[in-house]
Amino acid sequence: MSTAPSTLTVAVLGLGEAGTEIALGLAGAGARVRGFDPVVPGLPGVEAATGDADACHGADLVLSLTTASQADSALRQALPGMSATAVYADANTAAAGLKQRLAGRAGEAGVSFADVAIMAPVPGRGLHAPMVASGPGAEAASSMLGACGATVQVLDGPAGAAATRKLLRSVFYKGMAAAVLEALLAARSAGCEDWLREHIAAEFTAADGGTLTRLEEGSYRHAVRRAHEMAAARELLGELSVPARVARASQLWLEDLARRG
């Protein structure tokens, strides 16, 4: 385990599921951690603060783990408590445009900003979940988090570059999860959920680098036939009283590919 410099102070804004695990990991690595969350009274080894600005007093790094909807207000409230040498790292899952606006606001206040994206679920990994960072404060944020045992890849580019990678990954993973949920719900209604669950698991197990190529190229090559297939799948889901959200989106994508030839 990495040992943080005894002088390193990190403020964690937002002590929800991810914030709690990361704050505890930072404290366990030896950093002084100050935290604030209006609904979490305190954590062992984490100094409780009375507000965002209070948490940021004396901090070398401020790590925002609130929510995207609260990211702007967290930054506004934090800035009065930050020194000019501190780095503000926003690790909320938010659009690139929001990260760029936050970076601009921090820059106007003379504070270096890092766009941090956590690229895997935090529960069970905590501070060791892989991260990427971009923006003017990315190198400094990576260095401080790295001293505590985190792995933070620094990307070339402005704030928003890390968020873009995170959300592109989300399109795939959350879209895949939605397809699995829809298929299993329909299979349950059809009385063959166990069969489909085993089939999906087997497909995941057998997947390799060639799977991506087959999925992409096959969709272009067989768009017309597959569009008809998904229209039939939508009809089936209707008969099973299951909303065909993913099946409909798949049909529309395939029809569009077919029109493009």
Side-chain angles (χ1 to χ4, degrees), residues 24-234:
L24 292 175
L26 290 166
R32 179 192 178 203
V33 182
R34 293 175 54 77
F36 174 70
D37 190 302
V39 298
V40 178
L43 297 171
V46 176
E47 299 175 21
T50 59
D52 291 327
D54 181 43
C56 296
H57 282 303
D60 304 293
L61 174 68
V62 177
L63 189 60
S64 177
L65 286 158
T66 55
T67 64
S69 64
Q70 297 172 330
D72 184 80
S73 102
L75 174 60
R76 287 180 184 275
Q77 294 177 49
L79 286 173
M82 294 183 64
S83 72
T85 59
V87 175
Y88 190 93
D90 186 287
N92 297 299
T93 300
L98 174 58
K99 296 289 185 117
Q100 290 163 5
R101 291 193 294 276
L102 295 176
R105 184 165 296 118
E108 290 170 1
V111 169
S112 185
F113 181 90
D115 166 20
V116 174
I118 303 173
M119 304 298 285
V122 172
R125 295 181 177 88
L127 184 60
H128 302 292
M131 307 178 202
V132 295
S134 64
E139 287 281 2
S142 174
S143 176
M144 286 184 275
L145 289 170
C148 298
T151 300
V152 185
Q153 178 189 0
V154 176
L155 305 177
D156 289 332
T164 295
R165 291 203 183 188
K166 165 79 171 182
L167 293 176
L168 290 174
R169 178 183 181 278
S170 297
V171 171
F172 168 65
Y173 273 101
K174 274 56 176 186
M176 176 178 63
V180 168
L181 291 172
E182 185 167 298
L184 289 176
L185 184 59
R188 187 177 309 154
S189 296
C192 56
E193 180 183 0
D194 289 344
W195 166 79
L196 185 59
R197 188 176 293 276
E198 291 176 5
H199 179 76
I200 293 172
E203 289 291 328
F204 283 154
T205 301
D208 57 19
T211 303
L212 173 60
T213 301
R214 290 192 295 274
L215 289 173
E216 181 184 19
E217 293 182 355
S219 294
Y220 283 97
R221 185 177 302 115
H222 306 296
V224 174
R225 176 177 62 78
R226 292 184 180 183
H228 291 307
E229 182 178 336
M230 293 314 298
R234 281 183 65 190

Side-chain angles (χ1 to χ4, degrees), residues 236-259:
L236 170 64
L237 266 61
E239 294 169 356
L240 295 170
S241 300
V242 174
R245 301 181 182 98
V246 177
R248 179 177 182 276
S250 299
Q251 179 187 347
L252 293 174
W253 255 111
L254 290 162
E255 288 173 348
D256 184 63
L257 294 179
R259 282 192 293 271

